[in-house]
């Protein structure tokens, strides 16, 4: 008989992941030299201090978050998280440039995201009314919930997300617009 993990333990793991603030190269604005600015961020390298690498085209160069930098956001409603079996934990800090959008995607698992700076617009299938989340706010996406994230503002949006994914599945898949 397989036991189901405690919701409290899963939430603790997700919260710890959000606080880790890890960045992964090659993801939305995570080319070398891109990342969140502000508290806990590294200063841009001095000329000749080492390879900085090119920023993603169209994304302003912003220093990468240091490992251990905080990402904290408040969820406005309770969430219930469980997995049907084993899961992979993915924690990533992403940057969306002004005007950048993810397009409509779905994740094979649950997602908790904390906005570190800027204002992010989230649109979800079924609700369709865009919701804005600012610095210090967090949001939850249910397993497989089609969504689109957009930066409709003038400043880069930095968010840290924590996902519990089905093992071996891609972290996101494109889907048709639902609104």
């Amino acid at each position: 008989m397989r036991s189901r993990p405690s919701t409290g333990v899963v939430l603790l793991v997700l919260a710890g992941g959000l606080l880790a603030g890890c960045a992964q190269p090659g993801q939305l604005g995570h080319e070398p030299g891109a990342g969140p600015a502000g508290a806990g961020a590294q200063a841009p390298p001095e000329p000749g201090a080492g390879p900085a690498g090119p920023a993603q085209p169209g994304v302003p160069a912003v220093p990468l978050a240091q490992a251990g930098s905080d990402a904290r956001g408040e969820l406005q409603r309770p969430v219930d998280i469980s997995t049907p079996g084993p899961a992979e934990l993915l924690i990533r800090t992403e940057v969306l440039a002004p005007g950048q959008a993810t397009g409509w995607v779905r994740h094979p698992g649950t997602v908790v995201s904390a906005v570190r700076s800027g204002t992010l617009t989230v649109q979800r299938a079924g609700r369709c009314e865009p919701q804005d989340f600012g610095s210090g706010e967090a949001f939850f996406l249910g397993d497989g919930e089609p969504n689109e994230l957009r930066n409709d503002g003038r400043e880069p949006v930095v968010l840290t997300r924590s996902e519990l994914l089905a093992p071996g599945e891609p972290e996101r898949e494109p889907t048709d617009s639902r609104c």
Side-chain angles (χ1 to χ4, degrees), residues 89-113:
L89 175 63
L90 170 73
I91 302 156
R92 179 166 292 139
T93 296
E94 296 184 324
V95 177
L96 275 77
Q100 187 176 8
T102 61
W104 281 90
V105 296
R106 62 170 292 283
H107 303 270
T110 57
V111 181
V112 178
S113 296

PDB file of all heavy atoms in Angstrom, residues 89-113:
ATOM      1  N   LEU A  89      11.126  17.913  -8.240  1.00  0.00           N
ATOM      2  CA  LEU A  89      11.015  19.293  -7.788  1.00  0.00           C
ATOM      3  C   LEU A  89      11.899  20.152  -8.674  1.00  0.00           C
ATOM      4  O   LEU A  89      13.085  19.875  -8.836  1.00  0.00           O
ATOM      5  CB  LEU A  89      11.454  19.420  -6.329  1.00  0.00           C
ATOM      6  CG  LEU A  89      11.499  20.836  -5.757  1.00  0.00           C
ATOM      7  CD1 LEU A  89      10.097  21.459  -5.752  1.00  0.00           C
ATOM      8  CD2 LEU A  89      12.094  20.827  -4.365  1.00  0.00           C
ATOM      9  N   LEU A  90      11.322  21.189  -9.258  1.00  0.00           N
ATOM     10  CA  LEU A  90      12.051  22.148 -10.088  1.00  0.00           C
ATOM     11  C   LEU A  90      11.889  23.524  -9.466  1.00  0.00           C
ATOM     12  O   LEU A  90      10.763  23.936  -9.153  1.00  0.00           O
ATOM     13  CB  LEU A  90      11.493  22.172 -11.516  1.00  0.00           C
ATOM     14  CG  LEU A  90      12.027  23.299 -12.401  1.00  0.00           C
ATOM     15  CD1 LEU A  90      13.472  23.021 -12.801  1.00  0.00           C
ATOM     16  CD2 LEU A  90      11.169  23.447 -13.639  1.00  0.00           C
ATOM     17  N   ILE A  91      12.992  24.220  -9.256  1.00  0.00           N
ATOM     18  CA  ILE A  91      12.957  25.577  -8.718  1.00  0.00           C
ATOM     19  C   ILE A  91      13.733  26.448  -9.695  1.00  0.00           C
ATOM     20  O   ILE A  91      14.867  26.121 -10.049  1.00  0.00           O
ATOM     21  CB  ILE A  91      13.605  25.645  -7.324  1.00  0.00           C
ATOM     22  CG1 ILE A  91      12.876  24.697  -6.388  1.00  0.00           C
ATOM     23  CG2 ILE A  91      13.585  27.072  -6.800  1.00  0.00           C
ATOM     24  CD1 ILE A  91      13.676  24.242  -5.229  1.00  0.00           C
ATOM     25  N   ARG A  92      13.119  27.539 -10.130  1.00  0.00           N
ATOM     26  CA  ARG A  92      13.750  28.376 -11.142  1.00  0.00           C
ATOM     27  C   ARG A  92      13.381  29.831 -10.937  1.00  0.00           C
ATOM     28  O   ARG A  92      12.244  30.145 -10.611  1.00  0.00           O
ATOM     29  CB  ARG A  92      13.282  27.920 -12.523  1.00  0.00           C
ATOM     30  CG  ARG A  92      13.868  28.749 -13.621  1.00  0.00           C
ATOM     31  CD  ARG A  92      13.704  28.138 -14.985  1.00  0.00           C
ATOM     32  NE  ARG A  92      14.528  26.943 -15.053  1.00  0.00           N
ATOM     33  CZ  ARG A  92      14.138  25.809 -15.628  1.00  0.00           C
ATOM     34  NH1 ARG A  92      12.961  25.706 -16.170  1.00  0.00           N
ATOM     35  NH2 ARG A  92      14.938  24.783 -15.673  1.00  0.00           N
ATOM     36  N   THR A  93      14.347  30.708 -11.136  1.00  0.00           N
ATOM     37  CA  THR A  93      14.091  32.138 -11.168  1.00  0.00           C
ATOM     38  C   THR A  93      14.083  32.549 -12.626  1.00  0.00           C
ATOM     39  O   THR A  93      14.989  32.162 -13.382  1.00  0.00           O
ATOM     40  CB  THR A  93      15.166  32.913 -10.374  1.00  0.00           C
ATOM     41  OG1 THR A  93      15.071  32.524  -9.007  1.00  0.00           O
ATOM     42  CG2 THR A  93      14.950  34.406 -10.481  1.00  0.00           C
ATOM     43  N   GLU A  94      13.057  33.278 -13.029  1.00  0.00           N
ATOM     44  CA  GLU A  94      12.906  33.697 -14.423  1.00  0.00           C
ATOM     45  C   GLU A  94      12.727  35.202 -14.523  1.00  0.00           C
ATOM     46  O   GLU A  94      12.247  35.833 -13.584  1.00  0.00           O
ATOM     47  CB  GLU A  94      11.688  33.012 -15.068  1.00  0.00           C
ATOM     48  CG  GLU A  94      11.835  31.525 -15.142  1.00  0.00           C
ATOM     49  CD  GLU A  94      10.686  30.845 -15.852  1.00  0.00           C
ATOM     50  OE1 GLU A  94       9.540  31.293 -15.720  1.00  0.00           O
ATOM     51  OE2 GLU A  94      10.946  29.857 -16.528  1.00  0.00           O
ATOM     52  N   VAL A  95      13.117  35.738 -15.658  1.00  0.00           N
ATOM     53  CA  VAL A  95      12.961  37.158 -15.951  1.00  0.00           C
ATOM     54  C   VAL A  95      12.140  37.286 -17.222  1.00  0.00           C
ATOM     55  O   VAL A  95      12.448  36.640 -18.229  1.00  0.00           O
ATOM     56  CB  VAL A  95      14.335  37.840 -16.147  1.00  0.00           C
ATOM     57  CG1 VAL A  95      14.160  39.301 -16.524  1.00  0.00           C
ATOM     58  CG2 VAL A  95      15.185  37.704 -14.896  1.00  0.00           C
ATOM     59  N   LEU A  96      11.082  38.091 -17.177  1.00  0.00           N
ATOM     60  CA  LEU A  96      10.311  38.418 -18.373  1.00  0.00           C
ATOM     61  C   LEU A  96      10.536  39.895 -18.673  1.00  0.00           C
ATOM     62  O   LEU A  96      10.280  40.756 -17.822  1.00  0.00           O
ATOM     63  CB  LEU A  96       8.811  38.163 -18.170  1.00  0.00           C
ATOM     64  CG  LEU A  96       8.342  36.729 -18.413  1.00  0.00           C
ATOM     65  CD1 LEU A  96       8.709  35.837 -17.255  1.00  0.00           C
ATOM     66  CD2 LEU A  96       6.867  36.699 -18.667  1.00  0.00           C
ATOM     67  N   ALA A  97      11.028  40.184 -19.861  1.00  0.00           N
ATOM     68  CA  ALA A  97      11.271  41.562 -20.280  1.00  0.00           C
ATOM     69  C   ALA A  97       9.934  42.258 -20.523  1.00  0.00           C
ATOM     70  O   ALA A  97       8.909  41.593 -20.748  1.00  0.00           O
ATOM     71  CB  ALA A  97      12.098  41.568 -21.561  1.00  0.00           C
ATOM     72  N   PRO A  98       9.916  43.585 -20.500  1.00  0.00           N
ATOM     73  CA  PRO A  98       8.680  44.303 -20.844  1.00  0.00           C
ATOM     74  C   PRO A  98       8.145  43.825 -22.199  1.00  0.00           C
ATOM     75  O   PRO A  98       8.897  43.687 -23.158  1.00  0.00           O
ATOM     76  CB  PRO A  98       9.133  45.766 -20.901  1.00  0.00           C
ATOM     77  CG  PRO A  98      10.293  45.816 -19.944  1.00  0.00           C
ATOM     78  CD  PRO A  98      11.004  44.497 -20.135  1.00  0.00           C
ATOM     79  N   GLY A  99       6.856  43.496 -22.229  1.00  0.00           N
ATOM     80  CA  GLY A  99       6.217  43.008 -23.446  1.00  0.00           C
ATOM     81  C   GLY A  99       6.369  41.518 -23.695  1.00  0.00           C
ATOM     82  O   GLY A  99       5.740  40.964 -24.592  1.00  0.00           O
ATOM     83  N   GLN A 100       7.176  40.804 -22.916  1.00  0.00           N
ATOM     84  CA  GLN A 100       7.392  39.374 -23.112  1.00  0.00           C
ATOM     85  C   GLN A 100       6.262  38.566 -22.494  1.00  0.00           C
ATOM     86  O   GLN A 100       5.713  38.927 -21.454  1.00  0.00           O
ATOM     87  CB  GLN A 100       8.731  38.952 -22.505  1.00  0.00           C
ATOM     88  CG  GLN A 100       9.103  37.508 -22.806  1.00  0.00           C
ATOM     89  CD  GLN A 100      10.490  37.154 -22.270  1.00  0.00           C
ATOM     90  OE1 GLN A 100      11.121  37.921 -21.545  1.00  0.00           O
ATOM     91  NE2 GLN A 100      10.952  35.965 -22.620  1.00  0.00           N
ATOM     92  N   ALA A 101       5.903  37.454 -23.160  1.00  0.00           N
ATOM     93  CA  ALA A 101       4.863  36.545 -22.663  1.00  0.00           C
ATOM     94  C   ALA A 101       5.330  35.110 -22.882  1.00  0.00           C
ATOM     95  O   ALA A 101       6.128  34.832 -23.776  1.00  0.00           O
ATOM     96  CB  ALA A 101       3.545  36.784 -23.390  1.00  0.00           C
ATOM     97  N   THR A 102       4.804  34.208 -22.073  1.00  0.00           N
ATOM     98  CA  THR A 102       5.157  32.793 -22.212  1.00  0.00           C
ATOM     99  C   THR A 102       4.386  32.130 -23.334  1.00  0.00           C
ATOM    100  O   THR A 102       4.753  31.048 -23.778  1.00  0.00           O
ATOM    101  CB  THR A 102       4.855  32.019 -20.913  1.00  0.00           C
ATOM    102  OG1 THR A 102       3.452  32.112 -20.637  1.00  0.00           O
ATOM    103  CG2 THR A 102       5.662  32.560 -19.751  1.00  0.00           C
ATOM    104  N   GLY A 103       3.279  32.741 -23.777  1.00  0.00           N
ATOM    105  CA  GLY A 103       2.346  32.035 -24.642  1.00  0.00           C
ATOM    106  C   GLY A 103       1.559  31.076 -23.767  1.00  0.00           C
ATOM    107  O   GLY A 103       1.876  30.883 -22.584  1.00  0.00           O
ATOM    108  N   TRP A 104       0.512  30.477 -24.314  1.00  0.00           N
ATOM    109  CA  TRP A 104      -0.313  29.557 -23.528  1.00  0.00           C
ATOM    110  C   TRP A 104       0.424  28.241 -23.346  1.00  0.00           C
ATOM    111  O   TRP A 104       0.863  27.616 -24.319  1.00  0.00           O
ATOM    112  CB  TRP A 104      -1.664  29.332 -24.197  1.00  0.00           C
ATOM    113  CG  TRP A 104      -2.584  30.478 -23.942  1.00  0.00           C
ATOM    114  CD1 TRP A 104      -2.730  31.601 -24.703  1.00  0.00           C
ATOM    115  CD2 TRP A 104      -3.441  30.631 -22.813  1.00  0.00           C
ATOM    116  NE1 TRP A 104      -3.632  32.451 -24.112  1.00  0.00           N
ATOM    117  CE2 TRP A 104      -4.091  31.888 -22.957  1.00  0.00           C
ATOM    118  CE3 TRP A 104      -3.731  29.861 -21.708  1.00  0.00           C
ATOM    119  CZ2 TRP A 104      -5.008  32.357 -22.034  1.00  0.00           C
ATOM    120  CZ3 TRP A 104      -4.645  30.319 -20.783  1.00  0.00           C
ATOM    121  CH2 TRP A 104      -5.276  31.558 -20.950  1.00  0.00           C
ATOM    122  N   VAL A 105       0.607  27.834 -22.076  1.00  0.00           N
ATOM    123  CA  VAL A 105       1.296  26.595 -21.733  1.00  0.00           C
ATOM    124  C   VAL A 105       0.538  25.889 -20.611  1.00  0.00           C
ATOM    125  O   VAL A 105      -0.342  26.464 -19.972  1.00  0.00           O
ATOM    126  CB  VAL A 105       2.753  26.862 -21.262  1.00  0.00           C
ATOM    127  CG1 VAL A 105       3.590  27.467 -22.377  1.00  0.00           C
ATOM    128  CG2 VAL A 105       2.785  27.727 -20.024  1.00  0.00           C
ATOM    129  N   ARG A 106       0.907  24.652 -20.389  1.00  0.00           N
ATOM    130  CA  ARG A 106       0.432  23.890 -19.239  1.00  0.00           C
ATOM    131  C   ARG A 106       1.633  23.172 -18.662  1.00  0.00           C
ATOM    132  O   ARG A 106       2.582  22.862 -19.375  1.00  0.00           O
ATOM    133  CB  ARG A 106      -0.672  22.902 -19.617  1.00  0.00           C
ATOM    134  CG  ARG A 106      -0.248  21.843 -20.612  1.00  0.00           C
ATOM    135  CD  ARG A 106      -1.251  20.719 -20.831  1.00  0.00           C
ATOM    136  NE  ARG A 106      -1.423  19.873 -19.689  1.00  0.00           N
ATOM    137  CZ  ARG A 106      -0.568  18.920 -19.306  1.00  0.00           C
ATOM    138  NH1 ARG A 106       0.532  18.701 -19.985  1.00  0.00           N
ATOM    139  NH2 ARG A 106      -0.824  18.189 -18.243  1.00  0.00           N
ATOM    140  N   HIS A 107       1.613  22.938 -17.351  1.00  0.00           N
ATOM    141  CA  HIS A 107       2.695  22.239 -16.659  1.00  0.00           C
ATOM    142  C   HIS A 107       2.155  20.902 -16.147  1.00  0.00           C
ATOM    143  O   HIS A 107       1.068  20.866 -15.573  1.00  0.00           O
ATOM    144  CB  HIS A 107       3.191  23.067 -15.465  1.00  0.00           C
ATOM    145  CG  HIS A 107       3.650  24.430 -15.841  1.00  0.00           C
ATOM    146  ND1 HIS A 107       4.945  24.704 -16.191  1.00  0.00           N
ATOM    147  CD2 HIS A 107       2.978  25.603 -15.945  1.00  0.00           C
ATOM    148  CE1 HIS A 107       5.063  25.984 -16.481  1.00  0.00           C
ATOM    149  NE2 HIS A 107       3.877  26.552 -16.341  1.00  0.00           N
ATOM    150  N   PRO A 108       2.904  19.801 -16.345  1.00  0.00           N
ATOM    151  CA  PRO A 108       2.457  18.508 -15.830  1.00  0.00           C
ATOM    152  C   PRO A 108       2.749  18.384 -14.343  1.00  0.00           C
ATOM    153  O   PRO A 108       3.551  17.580 -13.908  1.00  0.00           O
ATOM    154  CB  PRO A 108       3.262  17.512 -16.662  1.00  0.00           C
ATOM    155  CG  PRO A 108       4.535  18.235 -16.956  1.00  0.00           C
ATOM    156  CD  PRO A 108       4.160  19.684 -17.082  1.00  0.00           C
ATOM    157  N   GLY A 109       2.111  19.243 -13.565  1.00  0.00           N
ATOM    158  CA  GLY A 109       2.297  19.276 -12.122  1.00  0.00           C
ATOM    159  C   GLY A 109       1.854  20.626 -11.598  1.00  0.00           C
ATOM    160  O   GLY A 109       1.361  21.472 -12.339  1.00  0.00           O
ATOM    161  N   THR A 110       2.015  20.834 -10.298  1.00  0.00           N
ATOM    162  CA  THR A 110       1.589  22.084  -9.674  1.00  0.00           C
ATOM    163  C   THR A 110       2.727  23.094  -9.647  1.00  0.00           C
ATOM    164  O   THR A 110       3.904  22.722  -9.608  1.00  0.00           O
ATOM    165  CB  THR A 110       1.100  21.829  -8.241  1.00  0.00           C
ATOM    166  OG1 THR A 110       2.148  21.205  -7.516  1.00  0.00           O
ATOM    167  CG2 THR A 110      -0.129  20.955  -8.231  1.00  0.00           C
ATOM    168  N   VAL A 111       2.366  24.375  -9.660  1.00  0.00           N
ATOM    169  CA  VAL A 111       3.353  25.459  -9.682  1.00  0.00           C
ATOM    170  C   VAL A 111       2.980  26.494  -8.625  1.00  0.00           C
ATOM    171  O   VAL A 111       1.835  26.920  -8.542  1.00  0.00           O
ATOM    172  CB  VAL A 111       3.380  26.156 -11.068  1.00  0.00           C
ATOM    173  CG1 VAL A 111       4.425  27.260 -11.098  1.00  0.00           C
ATOM    174  CG2 VAL A 111       3.615  25.157 -12.193  1.00  0.00           C
ATOM    175  N   VAL A 112       3.958  26.891  -7.811  1.00  0.00           N
ATOM    176  CA  VAL A 112       3.816  28.010  -6.889  1.00  0.00           C
ATOM    177  C   VAL A 112       4.893  29.010  -7.286  1.00  0.00           C
ATOM    178  O   VAL A 112       6.070  28.646  -7.372  1.00  0.00           O
ATOM    179  CB  VAL A 112       4.004  27.596  -5.418  1.00  0.00           C
ATOM    180  CG1 VAL A 112       3.897  28.802  -4.499  1.00  0.00           C
ATOM    181  CG2 VAL A 112       2.995  26.535  -5.020  1.00  0.00           C
ATOM    182  N   SER A 113       4.498  30.254  -7.566  1.00  0.00           N
ATOM    183  CA  SER A 113       5.447  31.286  -8.005  1.00  0.00           C
ATOM    184  C   SER A 113       5.361  32.498  -7.092  1.00  0.00           C
ATOM    185  O   SER A 113       4.275  32.892  -6.682  1.00  0.00           O
ATOM    186  CB  SER A 113       5.145  31.722  -9.439  1.00  0.00           C
ATOM    187  OG  SER A 113       5.323  30.653 -10.342  1.00  0.00           O
TER     188      SER A 113
END
